[in-house]
Amino acid sequence: KEKKKADKPKAQPKAEKKAAPKEENDEDEDDMPPPAPKPKSKLDLLPKSSMDLNEWKRVYSNEETREVAMPWLWKNFDAEGYSLWKVEYNYNEELTRLFMTNNLIGGFFSRMEAARKYAFGSLLTLGKDNDNMIWGYFMVRGKEIPEEVSETPDFASYTWTAADIADEKVRAEIEDAFAWEGSSLPREYYDGKVYK
């Protein structure tokens, strides 16, 4: 005997949704004006520099600091296109644990993302727990501190002093700051962070 299967109604293909008719006021996407161009940084309007900051960052990252990177920097540094700045934290007396001080530098760097294309820096945590400081040097595009740096929320917590690279003592400090060691560091080295 053959059992008869219950006749199931076949599923009807879903009707395609019709696009809602456009109202006369709707504009075609083609009729929309293009988005306004992203405003350029004032730094992009400066004359082209003879020094390639990205090349410096590669040399610093991949070569020995004292033996290769620093000689490269002094040979290629463009004093018309870049400036160097000593950076010191204003509230060192409030710093406690060394790792927390180092985290403070990391937070400052992460909030300075807009300057990455125009700056390079090395900030060090120096000293010991409950007696430490933040100190280092930055290289920035142009002769002044750019908005990309000065508009960072933590900027006012630091003193930025223009560095005279003709002074051998200042050059030695910059080299020690970038190498994270040396006799010109104001305190004993704990750790550091590089902004690149």
Side-chain angles (χ1 to χ4, degrees):
K1 288 186 176 176
E2 214 174 274
K3 287 189 176 179
K4 218 176 185 182
K5 291 183 180 179
D7 288 337
K8 280 188 178 177
K10 288 187 177 180
Q12 296 293 324
K14 290 185 180 178
E16 290 183 25
K17 291 185 178 179
K18 292 183 181 177
K22 287 187 178 183
E23 293 188 21
E24 290 178 24
N25 293 3
D26 285 353
E27 294 181 15
D28 279 338
E29 287 180 24
D30 296 337
D31 294 342
M32 297 291 286
K38 190 175 177 183
K40 281 193 169 201
S41 166
K42 292 177 187 175
L43 300 175
D44 292 331
L45 305 176
L46 292 174
K48 184 170 173 52
S49 173
S50 62
M51 186 182 84
D52 181 348
L53 183 63
N54 285 328
E55 181 63 20
W56 157 248
K57 291 176 180 181
R58 277 190 290 280
V59 170
Y60 179 84
S61 298
N62 298 320
E63 302 290 347
E64 291 296 321
T65 304
R66 290 200 189 275
E67 294 81 3
V68 179
M70 293 313 299
W72 186 98
L73 178 63
W74 299 133
K75 178 182 176 196
N76 294 285
F77 185 72
D78 172 17
E80 294 303 313
Y82 287 88
S83 54
L84 283 152
W85 300 80
K86 180 188 276 190
V87 182
E88 298 171 285
Y89 189 62
N90 294 332
Y91 308 105
N92 289 321
E93 69 281 354
E94 296 177 9
L95 300 175
T96 56
R97 304 291 305 273
L98 288 164
F99 79 91
M100 294 168 72
T101 300
N102 215 44
N103 289 345
L104 195 63
I105 297 170
F108 178 48
F109 285 2
S110 69
R111 288 183 283 282
M112 203 184 338
E113 189 59 37
R116 204 155 301 274
K117 182 177 167 184
Y118 311 106
F120 170 88
S122 175
L123 291 183
L124 309 180
T125 299
L126 305 173
K128 55 188 180 186
D129 279 341
N130 301 310
D131 181 18
N132 55 77
M133 65 185 295
I134 297 172
W135 175 92
Y137 277 85
F138 255 77
M139 177 170 39
V140 298
R141 184 75 166 99
K143 298 276 198 177
E144 298 174 4
I145 298 168
E147 291 174 356
E148 289 81 357
V149 173
S150 64
E151 291 181 357
T152 303
D154 301 352
F155 176 79
S157 297
Y158 295 84
T159 297
W160 292 66
T161 307
D164 175 10
I165 62 167
D167 182 337
E168 287 301 318
K169 182 180 175 221
V170 172
R171 276 185 179 234
E173 278 190 0
I174 293 167
E175 289 190 17
D176 288 354
F178 288 1
W180 295 11
E181 63 180 7
S183 60
S184 69
L185 297 183
R187 299 283 307 277
E188 62 273 23
Y189 169 79
Y190 167 74
D191 203 357
K193 292 193 182 290
V194 173
Y195 181 84
K196 56 185 177 177

